[in-house]
Amino acid sequence: MITRRRFVRRAAALATAAGLKLPVWEFPVPEGAVRGSAAEAGNERPLLLGADYYPDQTPEKLWEEDARMIAEAGLTNVRVAEFAWGLMEPSEGKFDFAWLKRSVEILNKRGIAVILGTPSAAPPPWLSSKYPEILLVNKDGATVSPGGRRFTCPTNRTYRRLSLGMATEMAKTFANTPGVIGWQIDNEYTLQPHARCYCKFCREGFQDWLKAKYGSLEKVNEKWGTVFWSQTYSDWRQIPVPLPSNGDPNPGLVLDYDRYQSYACASSAEEQLAMLRRECPKHFVTTNQVGAPLDTLNLREMYRNMDFVSSDNYPGFAEVFMPAPASPEVMATMIGLGHDSMRCVKGGKPFLIMEEQAGKAGQSFFAPQPHPGQLRLWAFQAVAHGAMGVNYFRWDSARFGAEEYWFGMLNHDRSKSIGFDEMVRTVKELKSLGREGLESGFVAETAVSFDHDSSWALAVQPGNSKLRYMAQLMAWYGSVASANTGTDVIHLDEDLANYKAVFAPVQYVVSEKQAENIRSYVRGGGTFVAGFRLGVKDESSQIVNAPLPGLLRDVMGVTVRDPVPVYTEKIAVKFGPQLAGADAQCALWADLLQPESATVMATYAGLYEGDAAITMNAFGQGKAVYVGADLEPVSLARVLRTVLAMSGSTAAIETPRGVEVTRRRGGEKEWLFVLNHTPQEQKVHLAGKFSAVVGNGPTNQTLTLPAYDLAVLQRA
Ligand code: GLA
Ligand code: ZN
């Protein structure tokens, strides 16, 4: 598991690697309504192009002015109250929603729709003082202090009861309030740095969860191999949580603990969801999250019964923590991976950017103002990757609190920020795509696996101390996405049939179900491309009882003769004619491959002369490629792009580095998004005739995009 900060640090070291229409939620739209306006559906279903707004932090005398300005800026909605527990329940059981009602009324009068946040991410001091048992215990066994946010245990019944009680009062109060259209449950369950709780309530919750999962202690003991170090459990209550214990914990226990913590968050959200379904049947329900590069939760579990996914997007945050300036294509790739990962949580259904960077961003220190054009570019990039709406974070800038330096659309003195006009323009342009454009499907010919089990299992046993799942995912995703074929970020037990090629970096854990799914995908004609450390472990985090790559040996047509971590003594890789290119060096890992039925595409030199480094196997109608060597990004990109071309993918569009192209499709219509993430003018060759929906169209099949500019095109 990684933190946002650790991830971006690492990502800098990573190199510059290179239609279906789905209903969102149903509301009747009155005839003749102005498209995209809040009035369109009697205030029920505007396009979601708005801002995060804090009446709780703003003197009431300014609320009218805020509402007027928000409406004048063309915004259609706000999200409010997700941190206002203290004002809504000033003491236990005493609720006060009058102020929020007044605020919603003022907003509604201006036609601004409201998404309400349930405030469980920040319980007030009366609560944490009276019930200190709700506090999270971190991985060192220390109880975290209240005073920040997300300092709570996800299992604790008191915390969950009070959170649900609070949310229920809120839901009853606002179920029929004009202007309220939906709910955000809690706020960023993925938030770091304490993504796991190790308290006694979690320990008991874990034990109960294990009981439900395994049924018997014999099974737990067997699946974890507890005979090692005398860990055999004879009572459920003996099972510990992975706190420091002078020796690494059992890998099976840790993997199950990660799953349990993910489940605890999801089930806590689910309690609020069930209540909201009952109390507010007319409203949509979602929760906001940070997607990849965070891996702390299984988001498919979290969003299973919600209406759509929401995510928070702060591209500038990367720049704050990068030790060296990130190249535009690395930045674009990082953000793109986040969007693609969130879109695919609900099978490609359009998602919402609940928070989008509006200016300088940071807490103790802050990133520079996004360059002119980037606030527009980043919002369009989200939409290009499947978002249906964008809320800028935040409307104003707080003059107090930990986020004084997170700049909103207004400055601290309430003047318009330097990016204000650009955001207003962006919202107007996004509206011009209409509901059909914003809620269309995303076109993807390729997929990359993002597997929590592998990520979590590898985190406790990386093999090479420098090996990180997320860095590998980034490098592979970057290589594939730069072909502009559209890339889904999937789980390997999902339907793969529609992809020309599926890529799986360090798929360390492979379940039988996944192996079977991959087998039938390749048999049916798909191209499966796996990285080193494939199929080392089963779902219990035990090492497979077969030569590697374990369950996938027949599909890959190879055996791993030996898995080798690489430190100072580098191993050279020589490419065969299919991959032609300069020799490369393994960075962190070398799986020494012995082909059984596969052909060799690259070999090791020197110490491991004679072992294959990359192989390709014909299996059924398809192909399976094993990349056994950890290649530096330029070579990796070349290899993956060559294999992609062999897979029969036709969608690739060549673009200069830092320029990306995506497609969305709905019915007969297709929108082509072309985004220039670089500070220079770029030219893109586009075969065929296009007209521009946003920005300028191509002349003589060449689209010229100034720095940070973009175009949305349709075939003429
Ligand atoms: C997060 C949170 C917000 C706010 C912003 C800016 O994503 O959801 O409450 O803290 O980031 O830091
Ligand atoms: Zn706990």
Side-chain angles (χ1 to χ4, degrees):
M1 190 189 320
I2 59 158
T3 63
R4 235 194 285 216
R5 178 189 295 226
R6 271 172 54 208
F7 168 75
V8 285
R9 285 242 170 88
R10 214 175 293 137
L14 279 184
T16 332
L20 63 169
K21 181 137 174 69
L22 293 157
V24 179
W25 67 93
E26 302 298 340
F27 283 117
V29 179
E31 266 180 51
V34 179
R35 172 185 284 179
S37 73
E40 180 182 25
N43 282 343
E44 276 189 314
R45 195 199 175 208
L47 295 177
L48 299 173
L49 299 166
D52 303 297
Y53 176 50
Y54 294 89
D56 44 324
Q57 300 166 21
T58 310
E60 187 158 349
K61 62 177 194 293
L62 297 172
W63 292 357
E64 288 281 359
E65 182 181 278
D66 277 333
R68 176 179 55 76
M69 288 175 75
I70 290 170
E72 280 170 10
L75 305 184
T76 59
N77 76 278
V78 291
R79 179 211 53 191
V80 299
E82 82 283 5
F83 285 112
W85 192 339
L87 283 185
M88 294 188 284
E89 191 180 4
S91 62
E92 188 169 357
K94 294 239 169 346
F95 295 95
D96 176 9
F97 297 107
W99 64 273
L100 187 53
K101 275 247 171 192
R102 293 197 296 278
S103 171
V104 171
E105 217 167 88
I106 289 169
L107 292 160
N108 182 50
K109 266 199 221 125
R110 298 277 179 182
I112 301 156
V114 176
I115 302 171
L116 293 172
T118 70
S120 33
W126 64 256
L127 198 155
S128 46
S129 317
K130 184 166 175 197
Y131 305 104
E133 68 272 24
I134 70 156
L135 298 175
L136 179 143
V137 172
N138 73 15
K139 64 177 174 9
D140 302 317
T143 302
V144 305
S145 188
R149 59 175 174 180
R150 279 242 83 74
F151 47 74
T152 47
C153 163
T155 307
N156 183 274
R157 290 235 172 96
T158 306
Y159 166 63
R160 282 167 64 148
R161 175 177 57 78
L162 291 164
S163 296
L164 181 62
M166 166 71 241
T168 308
E169 289 298 320
M170 205 178 170
K172 284 185 195 295
T173 307
F174 291 99
N176 295 305
T177 304
V180 174
I181 56 168
W183 295 84
Q184 169 190 303
I185 293 175
D186 203 280
N187 192 80
E188 287 191 338
Y189 284 97
T190 34
L191 191 70
Q192 307 284 327
H194 304 297
R196 301 281 182 258
C197 179
Y198 300 84
C199 76
K200 62 176 183 188
F201 304 103
C202 284
R203 193 179 66 225
E204 282 176 19
F206 179 47
Q207 293 161 345
D208 295 342
W209 179 85
L210 290 168
K211 204 186 252 180
K213 176 173 174 174
Y214 291 106
S216 75
L217 275 172
E218 290 68 42
K219 191 129 183 237
V220 175
N221 287 322
E222 180 207 317
K223 290 287 178 190
W224 293 353
T226 52
V227 70
F228 187 82
W229 282 354
S230 264
Q231 290 167 348
T232 304
Y233 301 107
S234 56
D235 189 314
W236 292 99
R237 294 296 171 223
Q238 294 165 356
I239 299 177
V241 297
L243 279 167
S245 182
N246 257 359
D248 283 353
N250 180 295
L253 180 147
V254 184
L255 182 54
D256 270 335
Y257 198 66
D258 280 325
R259 291 173 178 143
Y260 168 70
Q261 285 283 307
S262 181
Y263 159 81
C265 289
S267 63
S268 168
E270 191 81 27
E271 284 170 2
Q272 294 197 30
L273 174 64
M275 175 280 294
L276 288 166
R277 291 288 187 229
R278 201 176 57 239
E279 300 295 338
C280 304
K282 287 187 293 189
H283 296 159
F284 64 74
V285 186
T286 183
T287 177
N288 61 329
Q289 224 66 250
V290 184
L294 292 187
D295 68 344
T296 51
L297 298 180
N298 176 355
L299 295 178
R300 279 158 177 73
E301 188 178 28
M302 169 77 64
Y303 285 98
R304 188 163 299 137
N305 298 316
M306 298 203 197
D307 291 293
F308 53 83
V309 168
S310 302
S311 78
D312 298 342
N313 186 38
Y314 294 100
F317 202 77
E319 226 181 316
V320 178
F321 294 112
M322 292 268 187
S327 66
E329 60 265 36
V330 166
M331 288 275 288
T333 300
M334 281 179 59
I335 314 164
L337 171 61
H339 294 320
D340 288 346
S341 75
M342 293 308 278
R343 183 189 66 249
C344 295
V345 164
K346 278 186 90 69
K349 196 171 184 177
F351 63 102
L352 175 64
I353 299 291
M354 194 62 95
E355 299 178 9
E356 172 76 28
Q357 186 171 344
K360 294 170 277 288
Q363 290 179 0
S364 40
F365 42 85
F366 46 93
Q369 179 65 26
H371 301 300
Q374 280 184 323
L375 291 170
R376 173 173 174 255
L377 178 70
W378 292 338
F380 266 94
Q381 188 190 14
V383 170
H385 283 260
M388 61 175 168
V390 174
N391 290 322
Y392 279 107
F393 183 90
R394 42 189 272 168
W395 168 245
D396 63 356
S397 304
R399 284 180 41 250
F400 40 78
E403 293 192 342
E404 291 164 349
Y405 292 122
W406 216 287
F407 289 76
M409 294 181 72
L410 301 185
N411 294 317
H412 292 109
D413 64 3
R414 294 179 58 81
S415 58
K416 291 177 178 171
S417 76
I418 192 165
F420 189 91
D421 292 342
E422 188 179 318
M423 289 182 270
V424 169
R425 173 189 173 193
T426 304
V427 164
K428 194 167 167 209
E429 287 179 332
L430 285 173
K431 273 186 193 167
S432 76
L433 298 180
R435 193 175 303 287
E436 58 173 356
L438 291 169
E439 295 175 12
S440 57
F442 182 85
V443 183
E445 265 203 358
T446 53
V448 174
S449 159
F450 171 18
D451 185 66
H452 295 94
D453 281 355
S454 293
S455 181
W456 294 340
L458 201 79
V460 292
Q461 293 174 314
N464 181 319
S465 57
K466 296 208 175 77
L467 182 58
R468 296 288 179 275
Y469 179 85
M470 209 45 81
Q472 293 290 326
L473 174 63
M474 274 290 301
W476 278 60
Y477 171 88
S479 302
V480 174
S482 61
N484 300 309
T485 59
T487 306
D488 279 348
V489 176
I490 52 140
H491 279 186
L492 286 177
D493 42 19
E494 292 165 358
D495 185 6
L496 308 176
N498 290 327
Y499 302 115
K500 289 279 199 277
V502 173
F503 297 83
V506 262
Q507 193 76 30
Y508 184 55
V509 176
V510 173
S511 68
E512 279 181 25
K513 188 173 169 205
Q514 288 172 334
E516 199 37 55
N517 198 35
I518 293 162
R519 185 170 292 111
S520 60
Y521 166 67
V522 180
R523 195 174 273 140
T527 297
F528 177 67
V529 189
F532 54 90
R533 304 303 272 145
L534 173 65
V536 175
K537 295 209 144 188
D538 68 14
E539 276 174 296
S540 311
S541 203
Q542 283 202 21
I543 295 185
V544 289
N545 189 13
L548 296 181
L551 298 173
L552 288 168
R553 202 149 56 106
D554 58 333
V555 180
M556 308 312 290
V558 293
T559 304
V560 177
R561 187 169 74 87
D562 206 28
V564 180
V566 181
Y567 292 95
T568 34
E569 198 176 339
K570 297 296 170 199
I571 302 171
V573 177
K574 286 192 183 306
F575 297 99
Q578 284 165 306
L579 297 174
D583 290 356
Q585 282 202 327
C586 280
L588 301 171
W589 201 271
D591 273 351
L592 310 181
L593 305 178
Q594 290 289 304
E596 286 172 7
S597 51
T599 57
V600 176
M601 298 174 94
T603 53
Y604 295 107
L607 206 53
Y608 298 110
E609 188 97 48
D611 283 305
I614 304 175
T615 57
M616 179 182 274
N617 192 40
F619 184 83
Q621 309 290 306
K623 298 182 203 50
V625 176
Y626 197 122
V627 183
D630 175 33
L631 300 169
E632 87 280 5
V634 175
S635 302
L636 178 68
R638 198 183 69 242
V639 169
L640 298 188
R641 293 284 294 272
T642 304
V643 173
L644 176 60
M646 290 175 178
S647 76
S649 167
T650 51
I653 294 180
E654 280 300 328
T655 47
R657 279 172 168 244
V659 177
E660 63 169 335
V661 178
T662 68
R663 294 176 196 75
R664 293 187 68 172
R665 191 181 290 156
E668 299 290 285
K669 290 197 179 165
E670 188 169 292
W671 292 261
L672 195 74
F673 292 78
V674 191
L675 309 156
N676 177 9
H677 293 275
T678 75
Q680 295 90 29
E681 179 185 283
Q682 300 287 356
K683 288 186 190 304
V684 180
H685 176 75
L686 294 167
K689 273 193 130 189
F690 289 92
S691 63
V693 186
V694 175
N696 295 321
T699 347
N700 299 328
Q701 305 205 334
T702 300
L703 179 68
T704 306
L705 288 177
Y708 306 122
D709 204 359
L710 61 98
V712 185
L713 308 174
Q714 280 182 325
R715 277 190 194 275

